[in-house]
Amino acid sequence: MEITIHRPGELTSELRGAWHRAMDESPEYANPFLAPEFAIGVGRHRSGVRVAVLREGGEPVGFLPYERGPLGTGRAIGLGLSDCQALVHRPGVTWDTGELLRACGLSVFEFDHLVQEQRPFAPYVTGTFASPVIDVKPGDGTYAEWLRATYPGLAKTTLKKERRLGRDIGEVRFVFDERDPKALRTLMRWKSAQYRRTGRMDRFSRPWIVDLTDHLFHVRAEHFTGVLSVLYAGDRPVAAHFGPRSSTVLAAWFTAYDPELHYYSPGLMMHLRTAEGAARGGVTLVDLGRGDKEYKDWLKTRELRVGEGFAARPHPVALAQRMWRRPVRGLRNTVLAHPRLREPADRLLRTVGELRTQGRPRR
């Protein structure tokens, strides 16, 4: 096995084509977060992004995008943002993890949404977690007909709220692929406010994430397109979602809504409309991402499994990294796995968010 290391911007059209073919040949690699376009986008804003290219007989057969940090610490590309991570390879290809890490100049490689099929990484997985997905099927009827057939339990309530929203604010309409960048800015503003209200880290307070989102919004390719979907009442945007899609998979990434209209359940409306629009657009799977949320339980048709852990070779830096990161992850996973702990933690975060919001200067 020959392994070469490249910056994302150095990937030739031949290498990108081989990467796309590997995605097409295995359904588990069809996720847009595994596309070279995502790696190239992150590489525009993160200096440590690299791609390991695996070759057999001179032919490129595998691709591992990663971020290299100080002292040979490594992490899956977009760790904390990406909902799917893997070494994308053609069927039957395998590798030696120690050899791979040495070629990458890494002592440790951290991941948290690893595709379960990655057997050479299996000894380094410290936990596996459910990642809900929606298997969507195209419909020839109206949205209401699709909703009643797909989610009969939610249909009556959701359609009633949509009619009320239409009466109160304006006619409800949905745009699956909105190209107005102003709508994207509105989504990011809503999402920042949501992060602050709930006491979470505001991702859009980081300029590189804003710039990455802007960049991906403009990518229009067969294996990767940034899709902004917006729900309107009249001319007023009510809710929006932005996420990447491949030819068959849409990743549910950033969803937010106008908090003034929360009593209409616009977030749930947005998810349902997006799933229906994705089906009409040729998507067969909507990936909701790892995490326990009530709406995911309502919408999912099944669950994938993703792994987290640290692939490492004997090295003091690798040992220090695991000793530092594993307790933090363990505490977080314990809280998330137990409702009696998760609910008080959520209340505490919301209280912190309220205090943070109250202390924030008005614009």
Side-chain angles (χ1 to χ4, degrees):
M1 178 73 69
E2 177 190 2
I3 303 174
T4 56
I5 308 301
H6 306 256
R7 294 178 184 271
E10 299 169 348
L11 294 172
T12 64
S13 58
E14 177 188 6
L15 288 175
R16 294 195 303 272
W19 191 332
H20 289 148
R21 285 193 296 275
M23 292 178 64
D24 290 340
E25 290 172 348
S26 301
E28 61 267 28
Y29 301 139
N31 194 291
F33 286 118
L34 302 181
E37 288 80 6
F38 182 71
I40 291 169
V42 177
R44 289 165 58 99
H45 306 286
R46 306 282 284 178
S47 61
V49 174
R50 300 290 185 272
V51 177
V53 178
L54 285 63
R55 289 181 170 86
E56 290 183 343
E59 180 182 1
V61 296
F63 303 85
L64 176 69
Y66 64 95
E67 297 184 44
R68 191 179 189 279
L71 303 176
T73 58
R75 49 193 280 170
I77 189 167
L79 190 79
L81 284 175
S82 168
D83 288 337
C84 190
Q85 301 148 7
L87 190 159
V88 179
H89 63 83
R90 301 192 66 180
V93 172
T94 190
W95 63 90
D96 178 88
T97 301
E99 177 186 354
L100 175 65
L101 294 182
R102 281 191 293 273
C104 295
L106 301 179
S107 56
V108 63
F109 172 68
E110 182 179 1
F111 50 85
D112 64 356
H113 285 77
L114 188 74
V115 172
Q116 192 173 30
E117 182 272 349
Q118 303 271 283
R119 291 190 181 89
F121 286 136
Y124 306 98
V125 172
T126 57
T128 62
F129 303 88
S131 185
V133 298
I134 308 172
D135 295 291
V136 294
K137 298 179 180 179
D140 297 326
T142 65
Y143 166 70
E145 290 170 338
W146 175 88
L147 183 61
R148 291 189 184 100
T150 310
Y151 295 103
L154 289 175
K156 183 177 180 180
T157 301
T158 302
L159 292 171
K160 181 179 179 180
K161 288 186 175 182
E162 286 195 2
R163 288 192 295 269
R164 180 183 172 194
L165 176 63
R167 290 194 302 269
D168 294 348
I169 307 297
E171 182 181 359
V172 176
R173 61 187 177 91
F174 174 73
V175 180
F176 177 66
D177 190 10
E178 173 64 83
R179 303 314 300 166
D180 184 354
K182 292 181 182 177
L184 181 63
R185 291 290 171 181
T186 298
L187 168 60
M188 288 193 279
R189 185 174 68 251
W190 285 341
K191 197 66 179 178
S192 285
Q194 178 188 335
Y195 285 136
R196 294 194 299 270
R197 284 196 311 272
T198 56
R200 268 68 175 184
M201 186 275 290
D202 180 5
R203 291 175 173 175
F204 291 117
S205 68
R206 299 187 176 187
W208 80 268
I209 296 181
V210 174
D211 292 342
L212 172 64
T213 305
D214 276 332
H215 167 75
L216 298 180
F217 171 70
H218 290 94
V219 177
R220 313 285 287 178
E222 178 183 357
H223 286 78
F224 190 102
T225 298
V227 179
L228 172 66
S229 301
V230 183
L231 183 69
Y232 292 93
D235 293 328
R236 179 176 178 175
V238 172
H241 166 265
F242 177 76
R245 68 158 288 181
S246 66
S247 56
T248 57
V249 178
L250 174 69
W253 205 16
F254 296 119
T255 302
Y257 57 85
D258 186 339
E260 294 181 2
L261 304 176
H262 66 91
Y263 38 83
Y264 295 103
S265 301
L268 180 59
M269 288 183 197
M270 189 71 236
H271 286 294
L272 292 167
R273 289 275 188 172
T274 301
E276 191 265 350
R280 291 184 182 276
V283 166
T284 59
L285 187 78
V286 177
D287 188 345
L288 297 175
R290 172 184 162 185
D292 294 321
K293 297 290 184 181
E294 189 174 36
Y295 77 88
K296 294 183 183 183
D297 288 335
W298 290 341
L299 301 179
K300 70 182 180 184
T301 56
R302 59 189 172 97
E303 295 176 344
L304 305 178
R305 303 295 296 182
V306 296
E308 70 173 32
F310 305 84
R313 55 193 181 94
H315 195 283
V317 171
L319 177 62
Q321 179 82 349
R322 291 199 303 269
M323 290 180 64
W324 172 56
R325 292 285 292 161
R326 285 188 69 171
V328 175
R329 278 191 173 182
L331 177 60
R332 180 201 65 195
N333 292 335
T334 298
V335 171
L336 293 177
H338 295 83
R340 290 185 179 181
L341 298 177
R342 185 172 66 245
E343 292 170 7
D346 277 341
R347 286 197 298 270
L348 176 60
L349 286 173
R350 288 182 181 277
T351 300
V352 171
E354 290 172 3
L355 294 173
R356 182 193 299 170
T357 302
Q358 290 169 7
R360 192 179 182 85
R362 295 185 179 272
R363 294 183 178 179

